Amino acid sequence: MRHSERRLPPPSGSQSLVRRLPRTRGRGAGGLALLAFALSVVSHATLALAQTWEELGPAPTSVSGGSAGRVSSIACSPTDPDLYYVGAADGGVWKTTDGGLNWTPLTDHMPTTAIGAVEIDPFDERIIYAGTGEANFANHSRYGLGLLRSMDAGATWELLAGETFAGRCFSRIVCDPATPGVLYASITRAGGFPELAAARGHPQAESPLGVFRSADRGETWTRLPGLPELSITDLAIDPFNASVLYAGVGRIFGSPDNGVYKSSDAGQTWTRLSGGLPTQELGRVTLAVSPDEPQTLVTLLTRPSSPTGGGAQSIGGYRSTDGGQTWSAYGTVSQSSYGWYLSVASIRPGAPGTVFYGGLLMNRQIGGQSASVTPPHVDIHAIEWDAAGRLLSGNDGGVHRSEDLGASWTNLNVGLGTIQFYAGVSTHPSDDDWFAGGTQDNGSSVRRNGNNSWSHVLGGDGGWTQTFLDGLGRVVVFAESQGTGNLSRSTNGGMSFQGAGGGLSGRNCFLPPYVVDPSDPQRLLYATERVFESTNGGTQWAALSGDLTAGGSAAIRALAIAPSDARFVYAATNDGRVLASGDSGATFDLVMEDHPGWPRVTRELTVHPTEPETVYLAASAFGADQVRRSRDAGLTWETLDGDLPDVPVNVVVADARCETEVLYAGTDSGVFRSLNGGRNWYRFGDGPNAVVIDLRLEVEGGRERLVIGTQGRGLWRAAVGGECWCRADQNGDGTLSNDDFFAYLSAYAAGDLAGADLTGSALPGVPGFGEPDGVLSGDDFFYYLGLYAAGC
């Protein structure tokens, strides 16, 4: 705990304050010396910065030659070939001024880091627009909160139009090339399977969609008439005639109204284009207009998705050279079965016949010739051109650049800290700088030797990891990739892995959770729709429980085992069930239904470190009981979210060293902490407001730290301090300031034993020091003052 940079003014008449305090028992000269020292520090010391988070990477991980997290949008300066802004799916807006050698995060402390579209104002390159909410329709493509705008090249930002756009996503922002201050935005629903899962129940998730226009640089917006009330998945403007707009209406699950639409009157009326385009029902629709010959445009069309995300293969690319009146087939690209997620097109400046399509791969089409020009990482979301004519790709591995139209690529990901972790971060039993975690489409990686460039150890989408000492003193690491049974084990600290999923079967929540018995490292539990058990370190598995879901395609998304008694096991399913077992996972009781949350793997359940029947439950949804606790193994629950903002909570942990548990909540907007049992919550420290998907609180073995895994800003850690911060930081915001001092003073003056009775003696070595005695006296006040002065 550190102080904030504010001075606490000395109370008027410090000596009179001393006289008003009750006489303390046995304080004597030592007590007066403590008082004088404390008042001197409080009155005159310059206070230090707030609780500091340390960024741990990966930036990048070593997969595919060096990968960052998903980049959904790129904006290049039209005049400076080395100036780019990128929008990371959940990592905010980043800037480079040297062509990608160095990157700076710009929006870590804005209310959201989910970015769908970035654009530079053509009349003033200092003005940057970033539409929040990522329109790529995955479960991890989160809702937005409005438009971010910077008027000073990214140095400062403001959030605009939340009442207009919150709960939905920006697919594109385009600026009027003729009129300063006029811009257009295309808006979609948040994605996910089931539909709208990524919106987390946001109250504006089903508010209006369409194309919106602003005439005051994003301050206010008007929805344009004439388009179907469906997601607009792309938007383009004629660079020489600002009255001509093209919109891709592309509800990903299909609609008879999906298609390419054109307006010739700045969006007041629209016509659906058809000549030569497929007549079959469409899914996502993507557009691009030639920057040189605006009568030339292309569209990339996708089949509708099934309700579970499959079936969305590419229909193909189509090209028009007469402003959309007639079309002909013009190349294609593989979009696998999830074209709803990855679809982008671009026409090369100066070469209207050269078209690039991005899907699972990237293809270049020149006339009748097609070539695969896929960058080092697949899953393409953005294609742009810098002022030097170089090709840029934003993908699930970050940013890559090509100077030869895709024949070769340069990695631009060093220092780009946008990795998206899933739940299941693990730490080394003895090495403070060693961490492991699974990430979105970048496998599982390990951090060694304090280096923020992590080592890739397992492929696919990386999920839960577990790291521990086995009975032979070896450091064992488990990691997984998506799907049932794709579990691997290392007995040499993650240097090499072997398969460990023999005997596992059943449905999965994409990344099945698994846990290690804290009393027996050879015993592990693994969850599909039921719980499996291994008693030989993962070599063999056998079904332990029955189906814990209500059936259908549901699976278990969270699994927790009590650290103090392995008989107590808790599970949560992605059809809203919470269950508890008192017999080591053989049988479970249903203790809650209709619990909202995220369909994929989570750590929403956490068990008290010493009380096996005390369990905490997080709700990753708006309008829900965000933090709950049960003290009787789930039979009854109490809500602990107090004044916590209405934001999804993904994980909760408890520090039980204090008389009242200190709670930490990992939310969609950073970490919050409560020191008074959940009545009041404060943002903890100065870390990024990214989605916190995992928390690891470690307060034993010489460690006093909190480790967080974020979806979009990698891994971070912060010191939580010893016992004293339980008392000195009265409001729990990670900072000591005037507010804490006067909060304690108020409790003391009111005779509030719960808030002010801290000790029976203000002096170390005197009986009663640091222990409440049921009496308020000067000892309590001086003890608090000492803690405060020490900067606990």
Side-chain angles (χ1 to χ4, degrees):
M1 179 68 59
R2 300 178 187 171
H3 296 288
S4 64
E5 287 191 355
R6 293 195 289 170
R7 292 182 184 274
L8 179 64
S12 76
S14 296
Q15 295 304 314
S16 65
L17 173 62
V18 174
R19 287 194 299 270
R20 288 197 299 270
L21 292 172
R23 184 177 301 276
T24 59
R25 298 182 295 257
R27 188 174 74 238
L32 292 174
L34 176 63
L35 172 62
F37 168 73
L39 287 178
S40 173
V41 172
V42 170
S43 300
H44 303 294
T46 299
L47 304 177
L49 290 174
Q51 179 66 55
T52 300
W53 287 93
E54 178 188 0
E55 186 174 0
L56 302 174
T61 177
S62 63
V63 65
S64 303
S67 289
R70 186 167 72 253
V71 166
S72 56
S73 182
I74 304 172
C76 300
S77 164
T79 59
D80 183 345
D82 291 325
L83 175 59
Y84 314 146
Y85 297 87
V86 302
D90 263 324
V93 181
W94 292 67
K95 178 181 181 179
T96 180
T97 58
D98 54 15
L101 295 177
N102 295 279
W103 294 93
T104 302
L106 303 179
T107 58
D108 276 354
H109 295 100
M110 297 308 293
T112 177
T113 55
I115 305 296
V118 180
E119 186 70 5
I120 300 172
D121 192 298
F123 294 95
D124 186 345
E125 287 193 41
R126 296 172 301 172
I127 302 175
I128 314 299
Y129 305 103
T132 68
E134 187 209 5
N136 281 320
F137 303 101
N139 284 327
H140 44 79
S141 298
R142 281 178 177 77
Y143 55 89
L145 295 179
L147 177 78
L148 297 178
R149 184 184 69 182
S150 174
M151 304 295 286
D152 52 13
T156 61
W157 295 81
E158 55 189 328
L159 180 65
L160 306 172
E163 70 285 353
T164 304
F165 298 126
R168 285 144 294 148
C169 304
F170 282 75
S171 60
R172 188 76 65 181
I173 298 170
V174 297
C175 294
D176 186 316
T179 308
V182 174
L183 57 154
Y184 299 87
S186 51
I187 303 299
T188 76
R189 297 261 182 254
F193 302 89
E195 191 171 0
L196 286 178
R200 302 291 207 280
H202 192 286
Q204 294 173 246
E206 299 191 64
S207 293
L209 305 173
V211 175
F212 291 74
R213 180 181 186 272
S214 173
D216 53 12
R217 290 196 167 98
E219 296 274 355
T220 59
W221 293 83
T222 302
R223 182 175 179 270
L224 298 178
L227 288 170
E229 181 65 24
L230 298 169
S231 290
I232 310 299
T233 50
D234 215 341
L235 181 66
I237 192 168
D238 185 319
F240 300 110
N241 182 356
S243 295
V244 176
L245 296 166
Y246 299 91
V249 178
R251 180 178 184 266
I252 65 168
F253 299 103
S255 169
D257 292 325
N258 280 359
V260 180
Y261 288 73
K262 179 179 181 178
S263 173
S264 298
D265 55 9
Q268 296 307 302
T269 61
W270 298 84
T271 301
R272 182 175 178 177
L273 304 179
S274 59
L277 290 174
T279 58
Q280 69 190 86
E281 188 169 331
L282 306 175
R284 183 168 177 172
V285 176
T286 294
L287 299 168
V289 171
S290 167
D292 310 292
E293 297 184 8
Q295 290 293 99
T296 298
L297 60 151
V298 296
T299 182
L300 179 61
L301 304 176
T302 305
R303 300 179 189 278
S305 171
S306 74
T308 57
Q313 292 88 359
S314 179
I315 296 172
Y318 290 79
R319 180 171 179 252
S320 173
T321 58
D322 56 9
Q325 298 306 302
T326 60
W327 299 79
S328 57
Y330 200 77
T332 189
V333 67
S334 171
Q335 294 177 291
S336 188
S337 62
Y338 49 102
W340 46 265
Y341 173 62
L342 29 77
S343 183
V344 62
S346 179
I347 300 175
R348 183 189 181 192
T354 301
V355 178
F356 287 77
Y357 298 115
L360 173 66
L361 308 175
M362 183 186 287
N363 274 15
R364 182 185 67 217
Q365 189 73 28
I366 306 176
Q369 296 184 338
S370 180
S372 177
V373 291
T374 305
H377 202 295
V378 297
D379 289 4
I380 315 301
H381 301 284
I383 302 174
E384 289 294 338
W385 304 85
D386 68 19
R390 297 174 294 187
L391 173 65
L392 291 167
S393 166
N395 50 64
D396 273 16
V399 183
H400 298 84
R401 184 176 63 211
S402 175
E403 300 187 30
D404 51 16
L405 300 184
S408 61
W409 292 89
T410 300
N411 185 309
L412 302 183
N413 293 317
V414 174
L416 190 60
T418 56
I419 284 287
Q420 295 169 285
F421 275 103
Y422 284 114
V425 170
S426 62
T427 64
H428 195 280
S430 59
D431 186 340
D432 287 350
D433 290 321
W434 190 104
F435 301 90
T439 66
Q440 191 276 322
D441 210 29
N442 284 292
S444 298
S445 293
V446 171
R447 181 185 193 264
R448 300 186 177 97
N449 303 319
N451 191 335
N452 283 6
S453 295
W454 291 36
S455 299
H456 179 250
V457 297
L458 198 68
D461 278 82
W464 206 273
T465 64
Q466 297 280 356
T467 306
F468 55 92
L469 288 173
D470 70 2
L472 302 176
R474 300 176 300 183
V475 177
V476 176
V477 183
F478 278 86
E480 69 175 343
S481 56
Q482 71 271 26
T484 297
N486 295 325
L487 185 65
S488 297
R489 176 183 59 204
S490 169
T491 56
N492 56 11
M495 302 302 296
S496 61
F497 283 81
Q498 300 80 40
L504 295 169
S505 62
R507 306 186 297 268
N508 65 76
C509 62
F510 191 71
L511 293 159
Y514 58 96
V515 293
V516 180
D517 186 331
S519 61
D520 180 3
Q522 291 298 306
R523 180 174 181 266
L524 292 87
L525 302 179
Y526 181 102
T528 57
E529 77 274 12
R530 55 186 176 176
V531 175
F532 285 77
E533 180 186 47
S534 174
T535 58
N536 54 12
T539 301
Q540 297 169 307
W541 295 86
L544 180 62
S545 77
D547 187 344
L548 303 187
T549 76
S553 61
I556 299 167
R557 69 184 179 202
L559 194 64
I561 189 168
S564 60
D565 188 341
R567 294 176 301 168
F568 289 88
V569 182
Y570 301 88
T573 69
N574 57 14
D575 58 357
R577 292 181 154 204
V578 179
L579 305 101
S581 172
D583 59 5
S584 304
T587 62
F588 283 81
D589 293 321
L590 178 63
V591 297
M592 187 181 297
E593 295 184 274
D594 299 321
H595 174 63
W598 197 47
R600 290 195 174 180
V601 60
T602 65
R603 203 196 287 266
E604 66 200 86
L605 288 161
T606 306
V607 188
H608 190 283
T610 60
E611 300 173 8
E613 294 185 79
T614 298
V615 59
Y616 303 87
L617 178 65
S620 185
F622 288 93
D625 291 333
Q626 299 150 283
V627 179
R628 286 192 274 197
R629 177 180 62 200
S630 173
R631 294 192 182 277
D632 52 15
L635 293 179
T636 60
W637 295 86
E638 56 186 323
T639 301
L640 305 180
D641 46 32
D643 59 3
L644 188 66
D646 185 14
V647 60
V649 176
N650 304 299
V651 55
V652 174
V653 295
D655 188 341
R657 293 178 297 166
C658 304
E659 183 178 354
T660 300
E661 297 138 316
V662 175
L663 302 176
Y664 294 89
T667 79
D668 274 11
S669 186
V671 179
F672 287 78
R673 183 171 78 169
S674 173
L675 292 180
N676 57 9
R679 293 193 303 276
N680 302 108
W681 292 84
Y682 297 85
R683 188 174 296 280
F684 181 66
D686 61 351
N689 294 340
V691 175
V692 177
I693 197 71
D694 204 3
L695 297 175
R696 290 295 306 272
L697 179 67
E698 297 180 319
V699 293
E700 296 178 351
R703 290 175 176 165
E704 291 180 337
R705 67 182 185 179
L706 185 67
V707 178
I708 65 170
T710 74
Q711 286 200 328
R713 287 294 280 116
L715 199 75
W716 299 68
R717 67 179 166 192
V720 295
E723 181 268 345
C724 68
W725 57 257
C726 302
R727 313 258 176 105
D729 183 8
Q730 289 286 293
N731 61 22
D733 65 354
T735 304
L736 286 190
S737 68
N738 310 10
D739 295 337
D740 299 295
F741 180 83
F742 289 115
Y744 179 79
L745 197 61
S746 175
Y748 183 91
D752 179 4
L753 284 174
D757 180 20
L758 303 179
T759 185
S761 169
L763 296 178
V766 176
F769 179 75
E771 296 293 333
D773 63 354
V775 177
L776 279 187
S777 71
D779 283 332
D780 298 293
F781 179 82
F782 293 119
Y783 179 71
Y784 176 79
L785 206 58
L787 296 178
Y788 185 93
C792 291

